[in-house]
């Protein structure tokens, strides 16, 4: 499930990450959900927190802002606690 709400701005293959969904939040932070199977969404869908995106045995999460990768620990704890 999605850990935040936002607009899906990418659905497809990213080199080194596999099938990937990128959700852009209103806070300027993009979250990449990678290594997915059975993707249940499409580009430009608006996602609410908790919406099912797809399935993964080993999910890869990447947080980015202005093209820079952010520290996973700083942002993952924040979104999971909301």
């Amino acid at each position: 499930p999605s850990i935040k709400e936002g607009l899906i701005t990418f659905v497809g293959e990213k080199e080194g990450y596999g099938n990937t969904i990128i959700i852009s939040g209103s806070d300027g932070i993009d979250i990449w959900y990678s290594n997915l199977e059975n993707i249940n969404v499409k580009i430009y869908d608006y996602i609410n927190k908790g919406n099912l995106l797809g399935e993964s045995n080993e999910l890869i999460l990447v947080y980015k802002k202005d093209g820079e990768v952010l520290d996973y620990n700083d942002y993952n704890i924040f979104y999971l606690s909301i």
Side-chain angles (χ1 to χ4, degrees), residues 6-27:
L7 182 69
I8 295 180
T9 56
F10 181 87
V11 176
E13 180 81 18
K14 287 282 190 185
E15 186 174 337
Y17 292 95
N19 290 324
T20 299
I21 295 170
I22 299 176
I23 297 178
S24 295
S26 60
D27 58 2

Side-chain angles (χ1 to χ4, degrees), residues 17-67:
Y17 292 95
N19 290 324
T20 299
I21 295 170
I22 299 176
I23 297 178
S24 295
S26 60
D27 58 2
I29 296 174
D30 296 338
I31 298 184
W32 294 28
Y33 297 80
S34 298
N35 197 33
L36 295 172
E37 299 175 8
N38 303 320
I39 293 174
N40 298 320
V41 295
K42 55 190 178 311
I43 194 163
Y44 304 124
D45 281 350
Y46 189 84
I47 299 300
N48 291 307
K49 180 179 175 182
N51 286 140
L52 185 62
L53 304 174
E55 299 174 7
S56 179
N57 289 329
E58 292 184 40
L59 179 65
I60 300 169
L61 287 176
V62 177
Y63 297 85
K64 286 190 170 190
K65 184 170 186 173
D66 300 325

